[in-house]
């Protein structure tokens, strides 16, 4: 884009190649502008007001051209362009009725082997679905939100513990299904301590 604008400016430039041109704020440019402003008439009889307007227009054109060259021609696709948020990660809550006898004991070693783990806050609950804002990813994702959907004919909960908007939850999942057996639930100090041990913060 910048090279194309340079070429266009060169084609409309009335000065032949090799003629030195001072910057509008340096060299002889200020003296030439003052001389133009003090001249009553040109050889063609143009009044001073007309010459002054023409001079100011020429300066303005130079400023605009410089701004276009420096700014890349006003392209809005720069680093400041907003980045659209990606779709939420979709997970399913566990089937109801899991008995504690089928669960393994929760500890940092077992928890650390989970493929998906995060801390999140519900922002909306609609029927069998809850939408959570992810506050921290421990492993397995980078989505800003997670959408949890309950299985057919089940309430949106984790082993009977229903979600509450604004509360904090610690969640693990495998194969797209939230883990029960205490590996997911409200962010109690006890569960948070196991998560912190399983997923220590990077040093430094």
């Amino acid at each position: 884009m910048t090279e194309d604008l340079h070429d266009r400016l060169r084609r409309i430039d009335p000065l032949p190649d090799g003629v030195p041109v001072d910057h509008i704020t340096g060299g002889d440019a200020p003296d030439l502008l003052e001389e133009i402003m003090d001249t009553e008439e040109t050889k063609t009889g143009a009044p001073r007001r007309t010459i002054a307007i023409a001079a100011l227009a020429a300066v303005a054109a130079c400023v605009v051209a410089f701004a276009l060259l420096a700014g890349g021609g006003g392209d809005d696709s720069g680093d400041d362009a907003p980045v659209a948020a990606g779709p939420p990660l979709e997970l399913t809550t566990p089937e109801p009725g899991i008995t504690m006898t089928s669960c393994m004991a929760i500890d940092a070693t077992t928890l650390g082997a989970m493929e998906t783990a995060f801390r999140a806050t519900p922002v909306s609950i609609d029927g069998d679905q809850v939408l959570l804002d992810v506050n921290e990813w421990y492993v397995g994702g980078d989505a800003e939100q997670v959408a949890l959907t309950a299985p057919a004919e089940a309430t949106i909960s984790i082993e009977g513990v229903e979600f509450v908007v604004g509360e904090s939850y610690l969640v693990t999942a495998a194969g797209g299904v939230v883990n029960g057996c205490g590996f997911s639930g409200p962010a109690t100090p006890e569960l948070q301590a196991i998560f912190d041990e399983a997923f220590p913060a990077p040093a430094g």
Side-chain angles (χ1 to χ4, degrees), residues 120-175:
T121 303
V123 293
S124 67
I125 301 174
D126 184 12
D128 64 349
Q129 187 175 81
V130 58
L131 184 66
L132 305 100
D133 280 349
V134 178
N135 306 118
E136 181 176 1
W137 274 104
Y138 295 104
V139 67
D142 58 5
E144 295 181 3
Q145 292 186 316
V146 173
L148 299 184
T149 303
E153 301 180 0
T155 58
I156 185 68
S157 64
I158 301 177
E159 296 180 331
V161 178
E162 296 186 0
F163 290 94
V164 177
V165 172
E167 297 292 329
S168 183
Y169 295 82
L170 292 163
V171 181
T172 67

